[in-house]
Amino acid sequence: MIICLDIGNTNIKYAVYDGDDFVVSFRVATDLKKTSDEYGEQVISILQNSGVIASAVTGGIISSVVPQLDYTIEKMCRVYLKIKPLVLAPGLKTGLNIKVDDAREVGADRVVNNVSGIKKYGAPLIIVDFGTATTFNVIDSQQRFIGGIIAPGMKGSLESLVNGTAKLPRVEIERPDKVIGTNTVNNMQSGIFYGFAGLVGYLVSRIKREMKEDNVTTVATGGFAELIAGEISCIDYVDKLLTLDGLKYLYYYNCPEGEKK
């Protein structure tokens, strides 16, 4: 078995695979104050509750956009899982052809999503990731990552709205029945939900015009992917495991003998 870890700004996502087969996934809050011991005890407990014996995990790989946590999580893997994980960093083979101004600027999560998207859906492809930021990755018909868009995230936008005003309450991000809200909560939910649905719909349409490619597939991933995909027609697939599957592919790409039986 291998374990894949995606360290994001809001959550750390984990998935365990037995060879190619998905076993379990879970997420915990990203907390810079936690020690490797605290993360380790948390992971061991969740694995046990999921029916996974920690000692059965014999390899792993980490993708991170939070450098402050890299050492903590790597140490947790060494001490609690008894593995030395691969880390998505310069020197790790990805097989991705990156055609942007500076490949070093491309976040690890976007690299993983691109690798996974090409593997699972082919090209040309647009990947929309509803994470802390909303990112759009564009892959042309030659399977090259040619650029994309970084927009605010849904949660961050809502937090900015609440923190920047004196009277607006905190609300859940939900789909209101109507665009025109009749109370403050509905007004805010409509602005966030329908506003982001419009943002995604317009940007995907604009990307396709600039790509000038036929049969472009659009895949959405991340926490709010299903919610937004239910409102707009431009998203062809919702894939909640896109990033974690991508880490699995990269593990076996770099360790072809791996634990894959």
Side-chain angles (χ1 to χ4, degrees), residues 167-169 171 182-189:
K167 286 190 171 184
L168 293 182
V171 300
T182 54
N183 56 61
T184 299
V185 170
N186 286 161
N187 273 246
M188 294 173 66
Q189 290 175 329

Side-chain angles (χ1 to χ4, degrees), residues 7 9 56 75 90 92 114 119 137 139 145 159 168 170 180 196 213 225:
I7 305 173
N9 290 293
K75 183 179 179 182
L92 193 77
N114 290 337
K119 177 82 171 177
N137 294 351
I139 300 160
F145 174 49
E159 286 296 314
L168 293 182
R170 297 190 181 278
I180 302 173
F196 269 84
E213 301 259 19

Side-chain angles (χ1 to χ4, degrees), residues 165 195 239:
T165 54
D239 189 338

Side-chain angles (χ1 to χ4, degrees), residues 14 32 96 125 149 160 169 176 232 245:
Y14 298 80
L32 299 179
L96 181 65
L125 183 68
I149 298 166
S160 177
I232 53 179
D245 282 347

Side-chain angles (χ1 to χ4, degrees), residues 24-258:
V24 67
S25 69
F26 53 93
R27 64 177 60 202
V28 301
T30 301
D31 187 347
L32 299 179
K33 295 180 181 179
K34 276 187 180 177
T35 66
S36 58
D37 292 326
E38 289 172 313
Y39 275 113
E41 291 175 1
Q42 189 178 46
V43 168
I44 294 296
S45 175
I46 295 173
L47 288 176
Q48 289 177 344
N49 290 336
S50 302
V52 176
I53 300 173
S55 60
V57 176
T58 55
I61 184 169
I62 297 172
S63 166
S64 173
V65 295
V66 188
Q68 304 95 309
L69 271 181
D70 291 357
Y71 175 78
T72 299
I73 298 300
E74 287 181 55
K75 183 179 179 182
M76 180 273 290
C77 289
R78 293 196 306 271
V79 173
Y80 285 85
L81 299 176
K82 311 302 182 186
I83 62 172
K84 183 180 180 181
L86 298 178
V87 178
L88 185 57
L92 193 77
K93 295 185 297 182
T94 67
L96 181 65
N97 190 353
I98 300 177
K99 293 294 183 182
V100 298
D101 294 341
D102 187 350
R104 294 170 298 181
E105 292 181 351
V106 181
D109 53 340
R110 301 182 80 181
V111 171
V112 175
N113 280 347
N114 290 337
V115 169
S116 186
I118 293 169
K119 177 82 171 177
K120 299 177 79 170
Y121 301 98
L125 183 68
I126 301 169
I127 299 170
V128 187
D129 189 347
F130 293 91
T132 304
T134 305
T135 59
F136 297 72
N137 294 351
V138 183
I139 300 160
D140 68 11
S141 57
Q142 298 179 57
Q143 299 188 351
R144 302 177 303 181
F145 174 49
I146 60 173
I149 298 166
I150 301 175
M154 293 180 71
K155 274 190 175 179
S157 295
L158 181 58
E159 286 296 314
S160 177
L161 184 63
V162 171
N163 293 334
T165 54
K167 286 190 171 184
L168 293 182
R170 297 190 181 278
V171 300
E172 293 294 325
I173 298 177
E174 297 177 354
R175 180 189 186 278
D177 293 333
K178 300 182 297 182
V179 173
I180 302 173
T182 54
N183 56 61
T184 299
V185 170
N186 286 161
N187 273 246
M188 294 173 66
Q189 290 175 329
S190 182
I192 292 295
F193 176 79
Y194 291 111
F196 269 84
L199 178 146
V200 172
Y202 175 79
L203 289 178
V204 168
S205 174
R206 181 65 183 264
I207 289 169
K208 287 181 176 179
R209 289 205 307 269
E210 290 189 10
M211 289 179 75
K212 299 178 181 177
E213 301 259 19
D214 295 325
N215 302 316
V216 179
T217 300
T218 303
V219 179
T221 190
F224 294 103
E226 287 180 317
L227 184 66
I228 295 297
E231 179 63 25
I232 53 179
S233 60
C234 65
I235 294 175
D236 300 303
Y237 300 99
V238 174
D239 189 338
K240 301 299 284 293
L241 285 175
L242 186 73
T243 307
L244 293 166
D245 282 347
L247 285 170
K248 176 190 70 172
Y249 299 139
L250 287 175
Y251 178 86
Y252 289 127
Y253 185 61
N254 284 271
C255 301
E257 71 288 353

